[in-house]
Amino acid sequence: MRWLLLKDLQILRRSPLQATLLVLYPVLIAVLVGFAISRDPDKPRVAFLNEVPADSRISVGGEQLPSSNVSDRICRRVECVEVGDREEAEAKVSSGDVLAALILPANLVDKINSLSTLSPGTPKVEVLVNEEDPVKAGLVNDRIDALLAQANLAISRRIATEGSRYLDLVINGGELELLGQRFPILGLRASAQILTALEPALDPRLRASLREVTHFADEARDNLDVAGPLIDRLAQPIAVEKVAVGGSSPPLEIFAIAVAATLTLAFVTVLLVAGSLALEREENAFPRLTRGLVSREALLAEKVLLGVAIGLVVTLLLLAGMQIFVPLQWDRFGLWLVAILAGGGALAAAGAALGAAAREVRAVSLLAFMVTLPIAFLSLVPSGAVGGGVYDAIKVLTAVFPFKPTLQAISAALDSAGSGIGGPLVHLAILIVAYGLLARFALRRFAAV
Amino acid sequence: MPPFRGTVGAMAGGNRAALEAEALVKRYGEREALRGVSFSASAGELVAVIGPNGAGKTTLLSILAGILKPDGGGVAVEEGRVGWVPQQAALYRRLTVEENLLLFARLEKHEDPRASTEQMLELTDLGERRGEIVARLSGGNQQRINIAIGLLARPRVLLLDEPSVGLDPRQRARLWEFVSGLADDGTTVIFSTHDIQEAERYGGRLLVLADGEALFDGAPAQLREAVRREAPEAADRDFETAFVAYLHHRGH
Ligand SMILES: Nc1ncnc2c1ncn2[C@@H]1O[C@H](COP(=O)(O)OP(=O)(O)OP(=O)(O)O)[C@@H](O)[C@H]1O
Ligand SMILES: [Mg+2]
């Protein structure tokens, strides 16, 4: 068997194009994925016109917020293109230079400040959009909605705090500041105390009525106490508590690396195993070999070994390359090996079945791409992205091909935060046996024309 | 009789036979490539299988080699000692001449694969081109390596399917010299050919196949006799022409 392995390596060395592709391909993938994950996702370009006077402050209940940091906040989420006036903003939007323009009118802060007065106005911002590209337009709408929701939330919090303060004043008393003047407020609690103190000095006929008033004051105080938290809740009626169900996920960039590694492993092993098996037939060597020199099982094992060995080397090369972009947990190297070997084994067995079934090198290469690529894409479809029935079908399909379990095993091996590696390994072991049997079965009519 | 493949002696008949085939039938769908061909060869015998294209020569040799399973009949031969040189070269065209020979010498578990490789390089006269990729050799030179690989099996029975195709006269002479030497040492050699002269000259026995049937099995002189008898008008022509006339008379 080792001589066959040596022979296949010699042949591989003799095919410079193939060998170069085998090395170049993963390097290319590594670089592409590396760049993709180390760069910020593209921010949409948005023209930004801030007409609010620089010295105006958002003030709610005496506290002041500098308005300048509003633009800072906005420009963190989109790429701001500062414009001088409305015309310029409109021109940029219609020329497509920017996706949208955001205009903060001069009276915005005044209107916001009016929210906590007795005659509240409606603060408005203006958004100009160019909806010629529906995808991008949707993106801009989402971002602006998110920004507005945030701004609204921040402001309503302030107002709620303010409301609670007034309420507190009514209950417990204190000083109210209005138009620069201070007014003392007695408060329900103190009122009730005063009334209780007055009670003995009063006419007994009046006492009953007075007791009712005291009672009301107590009652009101108790109930208004409850109103405080209620008003707070108004500011953010629904709190989001995220609970991860069904597997904790590794960080995004680790997942991206696992995808790159699995793609590389899949293409290298499937193509190599299927191709070199088909080559045995194309060179007419298969009948010569299986006439007592090598058993069919040994030949299959040799091909799988070849695929796993080369796949392992290339995948490790890729991971080493990814190290440039993202630090990897090299202390988990043992687990990496296990995951790559198990995944490579299953992919190689699938490649052997493919090669035995397709039998011709050209057909095999085409088929390997036609099978691996869609399965790889389907494996990346998240649950919930498609209808339930379709997702179930995808789940079955991707469980039958070793790509997805390999991806799961490799991401589990790469990151301790991921889910366990045991399940995927068992899955892969089953696939190795299944595809091995399938390949052996397909070899029965392998030599036939 | 159910298909079987056993050792010599398992079948009725002389123990001296190195190879026996009985009532071989092979069908490809509707087409019957062999229709009950029986045949045996003793140690050291050189048998030439001749017949028109599609007669079933390759099919017969492939069954004898154990590559094809017959649909009927059986073969008795000493397993593991049957060498086979296929009509279509079976070698790795992306390996060098030497790498090919060395690989098969190793797979055949030769004690000294390198020595066997040297021997074959000498036999094929390709020693100087040992480092060349087989794909870049001429067809005839590829055929030489194809034969050499078959010889590496050191077989008791050697099956050669049109071995001389593409070889130049000098190489043919070398091939037959070597093969005759093997037969002298007790190897049974069965070869197919379209060259009637070659068959007559090197084949101690001729097996004529046509449309999957054995028309004739015997010594070259006996075939001449049969040709003279059945196609008297061509009896004075050269053997090849006479043979064609004979086949024609037989309906092929
Ligand atoms: N794999 C196959 N499938 C179908 N038919 C086949 C197959 N192999 C051979 N045949 C048919 O069987 C018959 C015998 O073929 P075979 O190759 O044995 O002939 P041959 O005597 O070797 O011919 P040639 O002199 O051209 O080499 C032919 O009719 C051929 O078409
Ligand atoms: Mg033939």
Side-chain angles (χ1 to χ4, degrees):
Chain A
M1 189 149 103
R2 69 199 151 120
W3 301 124
L4 278 183
L5 206 55
L6 176 73
K7 179 265 300 177
D8 280 334
L9 291 175
Q10 283 170 333
I11 289 181
L12 202 60
R13 209 189 60 206
R14 291 279 155 63
S15 326
L17 184 69
Q18 233 170 310
T20 323
L21 277 181
L22 277 183
V23 178
L24 268 190
Y25 180 79
V27 170
L28 199 72
I29 294 235
V31 170
L32 284 180
V33 172
F35 271 121
I37 59 184
S38 57
R39 257 192 78 207
D40 269 348
D42 262 312
K43 293 179 177 176
R45 275 163 67 82
V46 168
F48 183 57
L49 176 60
N50 190 356
E51 294 181 326
V52 178
D55 57 349
S56 56
R57 294 275 186 275
I58 296 175
S59 77
V60 183
E63 254 190 83
Q64 299 212 321
L65 297 168
S67 66
S68 65
N69 87 346
V70 171
S71 59
D72 285 350
R73 277 182 194 218
I74 290 169
C75 294
R76 218 179 292 146
R77 276 152 204 272
V78 294
E79 188 187 334
C80 286
V81 180
E82 299 270 356
V83 289
D85 52 34
R86 209 189 146 83
E87 283 69 46
E88 199 187 339
E90 278 175 8
K92 279 202 183 310
V93 171
S94 56
S95 74
D97 184 25
V98 294
L99 271 171
L102 180 62
I103 299 172
L104 307 186
N107 64 1
L108 178 67
V109 169
D110 293 341
K111 287 272 168 88
I112 293 177
N113 287 343
S114 78
L115 287 175
S116 53
T117 66
L118 299 171
S119 54
T122 309
K124 278 182 187 152
V125 297
E126 213 177 336
V127 177
L128 313 178
V129 283
N130 181 349
E131 301 211 308
E132 117 197 320
D133 179 339
V135 177
K136 285 186 177 175
L139 185 69
V140 172
N141 284 343
D142 286 351
R143 302 251 169 146
I144 288 173
D145 284 351
L147 275 172
L148 279 185
Q150 267 202 333
N152 283 337
L153 183 63
I155 292 168
S156 59
R157 273 230 184 87
R158 291 261 163 210
I159 295 172
T161 316
E162 209 45 27
S164 305
R165 220 165 59 80
Y166 286 131
L167 209 59
D168 189 57
L169 218 54
V170 172
I171 298 166
N172 295 320
E175 276 192 335
L176 174 65
E177 214 184 284
L178 207 61
L179 302 170
Q181 285 189 287
R182 289 163 168 252
F183 301 93
I185 302 285
L186 187 56
L188 287 171
R189 193 185 297 277
S191 310
Q193 280 167 359
I194 291 170
L195 288 177
T196 315
L198 280 177
E199 205 185 313
L202 280 179
D203 184 292
R205 272 172 304 151
L206 277 175
R207 270 185 210 165
S209 318
L210 189 68
R211 204 165 292 139
E212 266 177 57
V213 176
T214 330
H215 189 67
F216 163 73
D218 285 339
E219 197 96 314
R221 198 191 62 218
D222 288 348
N223 285 314
L224 286 176
D225 262 353
V226 182
L230 214 59
I231 289 176
D232 267 347
R233 291 263 38 92
L234 263 183
Q236 191 180 7
I238 299 173
V240 176
E241 189 179 350
K242 205 178 117 191
V243 181
V245 178
S248 46
S249 56
L252 187 63
E253 62 264 21
I254 295 293
F255 183 70
I257 292 173
V259 169
T262 311
L263 259 183
T264 305
L265 186 65
F267 274 110
V268 170
T269 43
V270 170
L271 273 174
L272 199 63
V273 173
S276 82
L277 191 60
L279 191 71
E280 297 290 0
R281 181 175 170 277
E282 240 171 55
E283 300 274 45
N284 296 318
F286 180 74
R288 189 164 247 176
L289 289 178
T290 47
R291 282 185 63 242
L293 294 186
V294 190
S295 72
R296 279 150 213 254
E297 290 77 16
L299 187 67
L300 284 179
E302 183 265 330
K303 297 300 174 206
V304 168
L305 204 65
L306 173 79
V308 172
I310 303 279
L312 177 72
V313 170
V314 175
T315 308
L316 286 179
L317 268 178
L318 173 117
L319 288 176
M322 298 306 299
Q323 175 71 29
I324 301 168
F325 300 100
V326 179
L328 295 173
Q329 302 177 12
W330 286 87
D331 53 320
R332 296 171 68 83
F333 189 76
L335 276 178
W336 298 7
L337 279 186
V338 171
I340 296 174
L341 288 178
L347 287 161
L354 201 76
R359 306 190 297 166
E360 271 159 35
V361 176
R362 274 159 201 257
V364 154
S365 320
L366 193 66
L367 207 67
F369 268 100
M370 281 169 55
V371 170
T372 311
L373 215 54
I375 294 282
F377 281 123
L378 287 181
S379 304
L380 298 176
V381 171
S383 58
V386 291
V390 177
Y391 187 70
D392 285 342
I394 290 178
K395 235 163 108 177
V396 170
L397 199 68
T398 51
V400 169
F401 195 77
F403 186 90
K404 194 167 190 184
T406 304
L407 178 62
Q408 289 166 336
I410 289 182
S411 37
L414 282 178
D415 195 80
S416 45
S419 45
I421 196 172
L425 286 185
V426 172
H427 189 163
L428 287 171
I430 294 170
L431 288 182
I432 290 177
V433 174
Y435 278 106
L437 290 175
L438 214 62
R440 178 63 189 84
F441 185 73
L443 269 195
R444 289 172 57 160
R445 53 178 286 277
F446 188 60
V449 179
Chain B
M1 192 164 87
F4 68 90
R5 194 172 171 83
T7 43
V8 177
M11 291 173 72
N15 275 347
R16 281 199 1 87
L19 174 142
E20 281 182 70
E22 209 174 295
L24 290 178
V25 173
K26 181 70 191 177
R27 283 181 217 96
Y28 293 110
E30 293 286 281
R31 172 172 291 130
E32 277 198 305
L34 290 181
R35 317 167 189 239
V37 173
S38 297
F39 157 83
S40 79
S42 49
E45 214 175 0
L46 254 164
V47 182
V49 182
I50 53 177
N53 289 133
K57 303 183 293 296
T58 298
T59 306
L60 174 65
L61 290 179
S62 302
I63 290 175
L64 297 182
I67 303 229
L68 278 182
K69 281 199 177 66
D71 296 312
V75 176
V77 74
E78 195 180 338
E79 279 294 350
R81 297 302 303 271
V82 181
W84 182 56
V85 176
Q87 187 169 359
Q88 288 182 320
L91 33 76
Y92 296 102
R93 280 170 295 176
R94 280 184 224 174
L95 294 186
T96 65
V97 173
E98 187 175 11
E99 284 165 351
N100 264 293
L101 292 171
L102 194 55
L103 168 68
F104 282 99
R106 282 168 169 159
L107 291 177
E108 296 282 3
K109 301 194 175 63
H110 284 203
E111 260 169 38
D112 188 351
R114 291 198 179 273
S116 315
T117 302
E118 291 305 323
Q119 190 194 351
M120 287 302 151
L121 284 173
E122 196 184 331
L123 172 73
T124 53
D125 207 11
L126 285 173
E128 279 177 21
R129 314 192 67 174
R130 59 169 67 205
E132 274 186 58
I133 306 287
V134 169
R136 298 198 192 124
L137 297 182
S138 69
N141 283 336
Q142 293 189 18
Q143 175 64 354
R144 287 197 226 172
I145 303 159
N146 185 35
I147 296 168
I149 292 173
L151 296 177
L152 277 172
R154 292 177 177 159
R156 282 277 175 75
V157 176
L158 179 60
L159 305 167
L160 301 154
D161 198 355
E162 302 193 25
S164 56
V165 168
L167 297 187
D168 63 37
R170 200 171 95 98
Q171 278 306 313
R172 279 180 191 227
R174 283 179 84 107
L175 169 69
W176 291 119
E177 188 190 333
F178 185 80
V179 168
S180 303
L182 289 178
D184 288 343
D185 293 340
T187 306
T188 306
V189 180
I190 300 166
F191 67 95
S192 72
T193 180
H194 283 296
D195 186 330
I196 307 300
Q197 260 92 44
E198 189 177 72
E200 193 188 14
R201 188 155 160 206
Y202 298 106
R205 227 176 92 206
L206 302 182
L207 178 70
V208 179
L209 281 186
D211 276 342
E213 282 177 86
L215 293 188
F216 176 88
D217 183 359
Q222 288 173 299
L223 182 62
R224 272 187 182 271
E225 185 60 37
V227 167
R228 202 169 294 132
R229 204 169 50 237
E230 293 192 31
E233 76 282 2
D236 298 336
R237 314 282 294 274
D238 61 283
F239 190 40
E240 188 161 337
T241 315
F243 180 64
V244 172
Y246 165 79
L247 286 177
H248 185 71
H249 273 268
R250 285 295 190 98
H252 298 287

